[in-house]
Amino acid sequence: MNIIGNIGNFHRKRIINMMKYRVEDLADRLMAGEALSREEYAFLIDCRTPETEAALAKEAAARRESIYGKKIFARGLIEISNCCRNDCYYCGIRRSNGRCERYRLMPEEILSCAVEGYELGFRTFVLQGGEDDYFTDEILCPLIRTLKERFPDCAVTLSLGERNRESYRRLFDAGADRYLLRHETASEAHYKKLHPAEMSFENRMRCLWDLKETGFQAGCGFMVGSPHQTSRELSEDLAFIAEFKPDMCGIGPFIPHRDTPFASEPAGTVGLTCFLLSVIRLIHPPVLLPATTALATLDPRGREKGILSGANVVMPNLSPENVRSKYDLYDHKAFTGMESARCLADLSGRMREIGCELAVDRGDVRKEV
Ligand code: 5AD
């Protein structure tokens, strides 16, 4: 019997494939705690409906609440340098962007940001920067030790890119608690389309496993809607998250930057980012999941939407006013208003409006769930 008719083999295969699953069944299985196959994740992404989005968001928020209560954790973000040896095609601070005005904070400046942050109530400091050769272990370890001595009740998170195993060990031994290194994409072929040949997918993955083995709470993550990304690549990302079980996972929409090779590529969407936040919460419920700045950049209520989809971390900016606009990863990056730590009260109010409460404690990942 041929109910599809004579439509050619390509479309025929696609339609048969589309009839293979029901999106509601996949959503139910995910909500029941089952892992899906790559093909199933891709189907779920392609065929999602407003109803499945709403159902997964509701369940993701409920799972978050059953683990962390109503708390949304605030982290103080200090962007320590925009000097970077890498040349990622998507990133505004890439090495070959001659228009980027470079800066680097000295250890004393980083410390004063932390002092200010501590007074505001932050109990996690995230030191994030490009891969800047200045920040050797010799510079970083004493800085980490000082931070931990002056603020023993605080967690120190690093987000400083790829380093060797010994370096990660030294930073951990100096007292750093967490490390964020987005994997960017879990597909090797896709990785090659986003990065120049001198960067390797294999090394990125090696770094992530090293971080985990060293003892860090380790975070991975990716951009949503990056050039050449389809549901197939996203399904690889989801399968990787199911396997790696990151303690943190940073995802945000890709936003083009005018001075990069991807300047005229379209941005990712808030809708798909929020959907993936829900899926990730359900795949790995204890994960610490930020509603990122990129999400807030595309939508003034992006943060709230992220939280309502299952995110539970916000990362306001503690960097000094004069460098803030220079950490220019993508166009129109939000760096005033909600991004300013001085607007903590505002952020706190917004969280209350959506039934959550902004928490300033360390907010470590829950291992036992
Ligand atoms: N759009 C969105 N996110 C970006 N990042 C870098 N460039 C962009 C962009 N154009 C993200 C990368 C990186 C993190 C620091 O910022 O995922 O890991």
Side-chain angles (χ1 to χ4, degrees), residues 90-92 128 159 182 184 204 221-223 252-257 294 327 329-330:
Y90 46 84
C91 185
Q128 183 165 82
S159 178
R182 289 190 177 181
E184 311 296 358
R204 194 83 175 175
F222 59 92
M223 290 174 289
F254 161 75
I255 304 174
H257 185 287
Y327 200 79
L329 304 180
Y330 43 80

Side-chain angles (χ1 to χ4, degrees), residues 82-362:
N82 70 353
C83 303
C84 191
R85 76 173 82 95
N86 290 332
D87 218 16
C88 310
Y89 301 148
Y90 46 84
C91 185
I93 65 168
R94 66 200 298 265
R95 175 181 77 220
S96 48
N97 181 8
R99 291 219 180 97
C100 174
E101 203 185 313
R102 306 287 167 175
Y103 76 90
R104 167 186 297 140
L105 299 183
M106 288 297 109
E108 315 77 72
E109 296 177 280
I110 298 171
L111 271 174
S112 33
C113 291
V115 170
E116 194 180 329
Y118 192 88
E119 282 162 6
L120 285 164
F122 289 97
R123 293 298 176 266
T124 289
F125 302 118
V126 182
L127 275 46
Q128 183 165 82
E131 293 195 13
D132 179 351
D133 293 328
Y134 171 78
F135 286 100
T136 57
D137 298 344
E138 289 65 38
I139 298 281
L140 285 171
C141 290
L143 172 63
I144 295 164
R145 272 188 229 105
T146 310
L147 280 169
K148 295 294 286 192
E149 268 160 35
R150 302 224 357 218
F151 312 108
D153 52 338
C154 291
V156 170
T157 304
L158 303 177
S159 178
L160 301 169
E162 298 179 15
R163 306 173 79 92
N164 62 45
R165 204 183 162 88
E166 293 66 45
S167 171
Y168 287 148
R169 158 71 43 206
R170 285 192 282 270
L171 299 174
F172 183 76
D173 289 343
D177 303 271
R178 310 182 185 135
Y179 203 106
L180 304 170
L181 181 71
R182 289 190 177 181
H183 61 284
E184 311 296 358
T185 170
S187 146
E188 179 153 22
H190 186 215
Y191 192 92
K192 288 200 172 92
K193 296 180 183 164
L194 300 179
H195 302 97
E198 77 250 15
M199 290 180 72
S200 99
F201 175 73
E202 195 195 337
N203 196 52
R204 194 83 175 175
M205 288 293 164
R206 194 268 307 154
C207 285
L208 276 165
W209 290 103
D210 281 352
L211 285 164
K212 203 168 215 197
E213 280 168 29
T214 303
F216 280 106
Q217 292 176 38
C220 64
F222 59 92
M223 290 174 289
V224 178
S226 60
H228 310 289
Q229 182 190 64
T230 68
S231 57
R232 194 188 166 110
E233 283 70 36
L234 288 171
S235 73
E236 293 287 345
D237 290 314
L238 297 175
F240 172 65
I241 288 163
E243 182 199 356
F244 186 67
K245 299 199 169 32
D247 298 300
M248 297 89 77
C249 182
I251 74 160
F254 161 75
I255 304 174
H257 185 287
R258 62 203 173 280
D259 301 321
T260 63
F262 291 157
S264 44
E265 297 288 335
T269 65
V270 173
L272 182 55
T273 306
C274 288
F275 182 69
L276 291 167
L277 284 170
S278 305
V279 174
I280 293 168
R281 167 71 58 209
L282 294 168
I283 289 177
H284 183 45
V287 69
L288 290 161
L289 203 54
T292 54
T293 306
L295 199 54
T297 298
L298 284 189
D299 183 332
R301 298 199 70 81
R303 258 191 228 302
E304 289 89 328
K305 289 181 183 172
I307 302 293
L308 291 169
S309 304
N312 66 337
V313 172
V314 287
M315 296 168 72
N317 201 317
L318 287 177
S319 310
E321 244 31 276
N322 60 319
V323 303
R324 233 176 252 181
S325 64
K326 296 182 187 153
Y327 200 79
D328 184 21
L329 304 180
Y330 43 80
D331 288 342
H332 312 298
K333 181 168 169 260
F335 64 91
T336 50
M338 286 302 285
E339 268 317 290
S340 162
R342 281 158 207 84
C343 295
L344 211 56
D346 179 35
L347 195 51
S348 180
R350 282 174 180 241
M351 293 300 115
R352 231 172 301 128
E353 266 173 41
I354 56 170
C356 295
E357 110 205 1
L358 195 70
V360 284
D361 51 282
R362 277 179 53 123

Side-chain angles (χ1 to χ4, degrees), residues 33-57:
E34 250 186 76
L36 306 184
S37 69
R38 285 171 174 74
E39 191 181 66
E40 289 167 336
Y41 285 129
F43 185 93
L44 183 66
I45 292 165
D46 285 333
C47 301
R48 69 189 196 280
T49 59
E51 292 73 34
T52 29
E53 287 180 358
L56 290 190

Side-chain angles (χ1 to χ4, degrees), residues 17-31:
N17 213 19
M18 280 169 65
M19 299 191 310
K20 217 157 143 185
Y21 309 107
R22 278 185 64 237
V23 78
E24 294 78 12
D25 295 340
L26 296 181
D28 284 345
R29 283 173 49 206
L30 198 60
M31 292 192 279

